[in-house]
Amino acid sequence: MAGVAILAWQGRKAEKVRIAYTQEELRYLLEESRRKGRVGFVPTMGALHEGHLSLVRRSRQLDETVVVSIFVNPTQFDDPSDLERYPRTLEKDIVLLERERVDVLFVPSVEELYPEGFDDGDAYYRAGRLAEVLEGAWRPGHFAGVMQVVAKLLRAVQPNRLYLGQKDYQQYLVLKQLVERHFPEIEVVLCPTVREGDGLALSSRNVRLSPQQRRDSLVLYRSLLRIKAGCERGEPLPEALQSARALLEEAPSILQVDYLVVCDATNLSLIFDWEEAEHVIALGAVRMKGVRLIDNIFVKGALC
Ligand code: AMP
């Protein structure tokens, strides 16, 4: 009862979200919405947290209709055990989406999106260098799978705006390029990374961290902050990077640093001097036993 009162006080009414399981149902549910105004779309793999919900809220502010998809896409997983262990919490996700007054939830099956199998016509979008560096180098085929599923989802939803999180910044750049080339009518909106109070970027995979790993995970964000501090006080970039890397190497749970780099945020080219780019981003990826963490921050000239 108290919950209802609070929701009413906030001027919100938690209504049942309409759920589409097929593209045909989705088309039917969105027919009228399109006439009413803009459709915003937030694609997710579920196990929703405040990071996902921040994208939903941004769309709720800007669009008349908010569509969320939940689909754990097999073609973007380079590690079968990661796919198998990916958290699935649909019932809870629906409650969260209803609280945010999401209009339509699209929950397709694998067969619905891949009736011809995984090696279909959408498997061949190319992103060039953008998809080959950093995550692309460590997770072969990952971005091809991401582009494949997002192209399908965009054709199914036909949104006016697509919302993506800074947490997966390289994914944002790859998808922005896909949209510019193949879906130019869609606007891409980048939303800032949402973090725990102590700085850990929210991620559906964080539930897998042991207490020790959870403590050590913070060092990734700290190392990125160390780089930013170096930029702000005019320390040479290679020295800032070296100190940041030393922080990562001190954490006992971190088994491997896949990368820790400073790049031009517009194209992910490595830079060696802060002045080489107007928008500078630091990105890192580390491996712990059973879980891999990625994070990034804008060091200069934030783009969201
Ligand atoms: P996922 O469910 O991991 O595929 O993520 C769906 C969308 O949510 C992607 O655009 C992510 O970048 C975004 N996202 C995930 N975690 C966060 C976060 N901590 N802050 C902001 N956006 C996020």
Side-chain angles (χ1 to χ4, degrees):
M1 203 55 206
V4 172
I6 289 165
L7 288 176
W9 175 74
Q10 289 177 336
R12 303 166 159 186
K13 211 164 116 228
E15 277 179 23
K16 286 250 167 284
V17 60
R18 288 168 294 168
I19 303 181
Y21 296 95
T22 66
Q23 300 179 65
E24 202 184 329
E25 286 167 0
L26 184 68
R27 254 192 303 278
Y28 170 76
L29 288 180
L30 288 178
E31 213 168 37
E32 206 186 312
S33 312
R34 282 186 215 292
R35 282 195 289 272
K36 280 200 245 155
R38 291 186 161 260
V39 174
F41 176 44
V42 182
T44 81
M45 297 203 297
L48 300 180
H49 51 64
E50 281 293 313
H52 300 112
L53 298 181
S54 72
L55 273 55
V56 169
R57 287 177 198 135
R58 190 93 184 91
S59 173
R60 190 69 284 171
Q61 283 171 345
L62 297 180
D63 307 309
E64 279 71 24
T65 301
V66 181
V67 181
V68 173
S69 66
I70 295 182
F71 180 68
V72 182
N73 174 40
T75 68
Q76 72 189 69
F77 283 79
D78 47 308
D79 172 359
S81 87
D82 188 28
L83 171 61
E84 204 176 295
R85 291 182 309 141
Y86 200 84
R88 289 161 169 90
T89 58
L90 186 60
E91 297 295 307
K92 194 172 145 236
D93 292 347
I94 292 172
V95 173
L96 293 175
L97 295 177
E98 286 183 343
R99 266 190 222 152
E100 300 300 330
R101 295 173 303 134
V102 165
D103 299 286
V104 176
L105 171 61
F106 182 38
V107 197
S109 64
V110 170
E111 295 70 31
E112 174 66 20
L113 284 194
Y114 293 97
E116 300 162 18
F118 293 142
D119 189 17
D120 63 12
D122 288 323
Y124 298 94
Y125 288 105
R126 297 180 61 86
R129 220 196 103 264
L130 257 190
E132 282 158 17
V133 297
L134 308 179
E135 287 303 288
W138 287 98
R139 304 184 64 188
H142 170 65
F143 288 121
V146 170
M147 288 187 282
Q148 183 180 22
V149 75
V150 171
K152 290 176 192 303
L153 292 169
L154 292 179
R155 282 201 303 271
V157 179
Q158 296 178 30
N160 301 97
R161 293 195 181 97
L162 168 66
Y163 293 83
L164 299 170
Q166 186 195 331
K167 165 76 178 25
D168 302 281
Y169 187 74
Q170 188 174 3
Q171 169 173 280
Y172 156 73
L173 285 182
V174 167
L175 291 178
K176 187 160 74 82
Q177 182 176 269
L178 177 88
V179 167
E180 282 164 4
R181 289 178 178 172
H182 302 282
F183 304 88
E185 66 287 358
I186 300 175
E187 179 190 344
V188 180
V189 181
L190 176 65
C191 301
T193 302
V194 177
R195 300 177 182 281
E196 300 280 6
D198 59 9
L200 177 66
L202 295 186
S203 162
S204 306
R205 291 184 179 89
N206 289 353
V207 294
R208 290 190 201 155
L209 294 168
S210 71
Q212 175 69 41
Q213 287 176 328
R214 174 67 183 79
R215 281 192 292 279
D216 285 353
S217 66
L218 282 182
V219 102
L220 178 56
Y221 181 51
R222 284 205 197 115
S223 72
L224 297 171
L225 289 177
R226 174 68 188 79
I227 293 172
K228 187 167 198 254
C231 174
E232 283 165 0
R233 64 171 179 258
E235 184 182 19
L237 190 159
E239 284 172 31
L241 195 52
Q242 204 175 6
S243 308
R245 206 182 161 97
L247 283 178
L248 289 183
E249 280 159 8
E250 277 164 25
S253 313
I254 295 181
L255 305 177
Q256 184 177 312
V257 179
D258 282 355
Y259 58 81
L260 182 67
V261 291
V262 182
C263 295
D264 180 332
T266 59
N267 57 19
L268 296 185
S269 295
L270 291 180
I271 61 165
F272 302 92
D273 186 292
W274 310 115
E275 298 312 318
E276 267 180 68
E278 187 184 346
H279 304 280
V280 176
I281 192 164
L283 309 101
V286 297
R287 278 172 205 267
M288 297 177 156
K289 190 168 181 286
V291 56
R292 186 170 176 278
L293 300 177
I294 60 169
D295 199 357
N296 69 78
I297 61 171
F298 288 110
V299 166
K300 195 180 92 173
L303 290 169
C304 72

